[in-house]
């Protein structure tokens, strides 16, 4: 127990000692803080004194600056006032000077006006004198005119008595004699002028035409209706013929061209009046022989591709032709028509070569006559476009070509030249007779045309058109120089019995409506195909 009391007593003594030391430290700290606060107060007081001094200085400076600015503004206002006063006085003096000048001018005008009035009065007086003199002279002149008229009347009366004619009759007689004399002289001069003009015109026309022909003179090859397809050896002929001739029949059915395989070594003859068909058949045979696969399915495929190739070639030919002739802005449809001319002939003369020749001749003639040579070339190239219709038409080729040219926006003079080059319509411009003359020059040259082939081709076209006029006919080809007509019919519309009947009807129509040498064999072909695809 004693140690507990001792422990408690120790704790109490320790606590008293700690309290005494803590109190002493607090008092020391308060004294330190008090001293620091006094120092801060002294510093603040000094700063306040300094700020007060600065404020007093700033106030004094502001008052002095205000006085200075006030004096400057007063001085500026006085200067501005003096300047405005000077300007006002100057403006007033200028106005006074202008007023004085106006007054001076007004006085001068008034003086001139007074002088003018004085001159006017003098002139008026002189004019009155002149009028009085004129009246007197007029009276004298009237009396003299009356005397002259009386003298003239007495002379006319005297002449009428002497001649026995009145004045009207004498005048009429004189006029008639003068008119007769003038007519005689005029007729003489007119006849001389007409004779000289006709002679000169004929000479000049001959000169122009001869020069044009000399410039454009070209050789002309007459077109044929057959093509020869050359072979490397005769072994290929058997492959072209096929088993029992099926390949040849397929070629003829697809192209409408007669394939003639005879004893001619290393050659096959393709016969057809249509050069486009003949060219398609020739190119197709070339591809088939080169490829080596020759059978009906392949033949139809190659012929279809070749026909597309020929269409592209036609466009290229048309574009090249218009570029060569320097013709621009032609409608694409007309470009195609020009390209198709290469595969058409007119009386044995290649139509494209003929049209190019007409264009050159027409351009030369127009240039010699001082007309539009480019327009003449354009009309010359297009003058026979009516000869290559995609479908047969009953209109003359000149009228058909004129309608096409008008539809595709050609110049009115070109349209008239196309329609009038065979006198189907009236010529309305100088370009039309030039195209007519150029066409005649190109066609009339020796060897340029052959009438027989044109009539032969027309007969073959008529044969095909006759067959196509029947219902169910899909294609019709005239072959063997028109001695055979092969007709392909649609199997869905025409049965075997109708095929026999159709052959008879076509034959009967040809006999009754057409004129032809020898006989024509009509073959109606009806083919049925069953096609399936293995997938």
């Amino acid at each position: 127990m004693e140690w507990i009391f001792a422990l408690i007593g120790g704790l109490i003594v320790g606590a008293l000692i700690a309290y005494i030391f803590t109190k002493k430290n607090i008092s020391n700290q308060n004294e330190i803080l008090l001293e620091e606060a006094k120092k801060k107060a002294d510093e603040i007081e000094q700063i306040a004194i300094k700020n007060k001094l600065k404020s007093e200085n700033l106030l004094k400076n502001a008052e002095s600056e205000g006085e200075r600015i006030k004096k400057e503004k007063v001085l500026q206002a006085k200067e501005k006032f003096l300047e405005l006063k000077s300007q006002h006085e100057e403006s007033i003096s200028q106005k006074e000077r202008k007023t004085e000048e106006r007054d001076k001018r007004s006085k001068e005008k008034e003086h001139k006006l007074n002088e003018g009035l004085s001159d006017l009065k003098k002139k008026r007086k002189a004019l009155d004198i002149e009028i009085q003199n004129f009246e007197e002279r007029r009276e004298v002149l009237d009396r003299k005119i009356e005397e002259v008229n009386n003298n003239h009347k007495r002379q006319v009366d005297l002449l009428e008595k002497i001649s026995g004619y009145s004045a009207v009759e004498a005048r009429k007689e004189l006029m008639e004699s003068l008119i007769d004399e003038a007519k005689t002289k005029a007729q003489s001069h007119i006849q001389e002028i007409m004779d000289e003009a006709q002679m000169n015109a004929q000479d000049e026309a001959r000169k122009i035409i001869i020069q044009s022909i000399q410039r454009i003179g070209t050789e002309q090859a007459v077109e044929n209706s057959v093509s020869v397809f050359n072979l490397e050896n005769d072994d290929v002929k058997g492959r072209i013929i096929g088993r029992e001739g099926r390949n040849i029949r397929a070629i003829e059915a697809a192209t409408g061209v007669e394939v003639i395989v005879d004893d001619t070594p290393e050659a096959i003859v393709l016969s057809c009046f249509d050069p486009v068909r003949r060219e398609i058949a020739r190119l197709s045979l070339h591809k088939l022989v080169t490829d080596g696969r020759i059978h009906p399915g392949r033949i139809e495929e190659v012929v279809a591709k070749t026909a597309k190739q020929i269409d592209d070639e036609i466009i290229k030919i048309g574009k090249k032709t218009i570029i060569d002739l320097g013709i621009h802005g032609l409608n694409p449809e007309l470009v195609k028509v020009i390209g198709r001319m290469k595969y058409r002939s007119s009386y044995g003369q290649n139509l494209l070569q003929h049209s190019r020749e007409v264009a050159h001749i027409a351009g030369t003639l127009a240039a010699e006559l001082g007309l539009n040579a480019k327009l003449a070339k354009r009309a010359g190239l297009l003058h026979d476009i009516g000869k290559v219709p995609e479908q047969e038409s009953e209109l003359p080729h000149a009228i058909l070509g004129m309608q096409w040219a008008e539809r595709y926006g050609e110049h009115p003079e070109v349209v008239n030249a196309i329609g009038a080059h065979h006198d189907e319509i009236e010529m309305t411009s100088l370009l039309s007779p030039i195209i007519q003359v150029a066409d005649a020059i190109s066609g009339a040259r020796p060897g340029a045309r052959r009438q027989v082939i044109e009539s032969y081709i027309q007969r073959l076209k008529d044969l095909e058109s006759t067959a196509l006029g029947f219902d169910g006919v899909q294609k019709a080809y005239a072959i063997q120089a028109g001695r055979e007509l092969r007709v392909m019919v649609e199997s869905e519309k025409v049965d075997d019995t109708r095929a026999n009947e159709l052959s008879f009807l076509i034959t009967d129509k040809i006999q009754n409506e057409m004129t032809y040498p020898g006989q024509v064999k009509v073959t109606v072909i009806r083919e049925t195909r069953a096609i399936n695809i293995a997938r």
Side-chain angles (χ1 to χ4, degrees), residues 322-518:
I322 63 176
I323 290 172
D324 291 344
L325 293 174
I327 296 173
H328 306 285
L330 205 63
N331 188 281
E333 292 299 324
L334 293 180
V335 174
K336 292 181 184 178
V337 173
I338 292 170
R340 285 202 297 270
M341 286 183 180
K342 180 182 178 181
Y343 302 102
R344 293 289 187 274
S345 61
S346 176
Y347 299 100
Q349 185 181 24
N350 182 269
L351 191 57
L352 180 59
Q353 186 173 349
H354 165 66
S355 297
R356 289 173 65 108
E357 190 174 43
V358 171
H360 283 301
I361 295 173
T364 306
L365 289 172
E368 291 290 339
L369 295 172
L371 301 176
N372 191 332
K374 290 186 177 181
L375 208 60
K377 279 187 178 182
R378 196 182 191 96
L381 180 63
L382 299 176
H383 81 285
D384 267 349
I385 57 174
K387 287 186 177 180
V388 286
E390 295 182 353
Q391 298 179 352
E392 293 295 326
S393 174
E394 296 180 357
L395 293 174
H397 75 273
I399 301 298
L400 184 60
M402 179 187 71
Q403 292 178 355
W404 283 2
E406 188 174 11
R407 182 191 310 163
Y408 296 124
E410 285 298 312
H411 193 280
E413 291 190 16
V414 175
V415 173
N416 181 257
I418 295 172
H421 79 276
H422 285 316
D423 294 323
E424 274 85 2
I425 64 172
E426 183 181 356
M427 296 182 181
T428 59
S429 71
L430 292 176
L431 196 62
S432 300
I434 288 176
I435 301 304
Q436 190 178 54
V437 170
D439 181 42
I441 291 172
S442 175
R445 291 187 295 100
R449 291 184 173 182
R450 191 168 65 190
Q451 181 75 22
V452 177
I453 191 171
E454 186 69 18
S455 58
Y456 155 73
I457 290 175
Q458 186 59 45
R459 179 167 61 85
L460 298 187
K461 288 183 177 180
D462 292 341
L463 274 173
E464 292 183 353
S465 298
T466 300
L468 291 171
F470 287 88
D471 185 34
V473 176
Q474 187 177 18
K475 299 177 183 177
Y477 300 127
I479 59 177
Q480 294 185 1
R483 291 190 296 273
E484 182 177 353
L485 180 64
R486 292 190 180 178
V487 182
M488 285 68 174
V489 297
E490 300 178 21
S491 59
E492 295 83 2
K493 295 183 178 180
V494 180
D495 56 14
D496 291 338
T497 304
R498 176 60 182 168
N500 291 328
E501 183 182 352
L502 198 59
S503 175
F504 174 77
L505 293 174
I506 294 173
T507 304
D508 185 64
K509 188 171 183 179
I510 292 172
Q511 290 176 350
N512 295 330
E513 297 182 4
M514 295 185 63
T515 302
Y516 52 92

Side-chain angles (χ1 to χ4, degrees), residues 36-52:
E36 289 178 355
K38 288 180 179 180
K39 289 180 181 180
K40 290 288 184 181
D42 292 338
E43 289 177 356
I44 291 170
E45 185 178 0
Q46 289 177 0
I47 291 170
I49 292 169
K50 289 180 180 179
N51 288 336
K52 183 178 180 181

Side-chain angles (χ1 to χ4, degrees), residues 167-179:
V168 176
E169 292 173 348
R171 189 182 298 108
K172 184 178 179 181
E173 187 72 21
L174 178 61
M175 288 178 64
E176 288 177 356
S177 63
L178 291 174
I179 290 171

Side-chain angles (χ1 to χ4, degrees), residues 141 204 433:
L141 185 59
E204 190 66 22

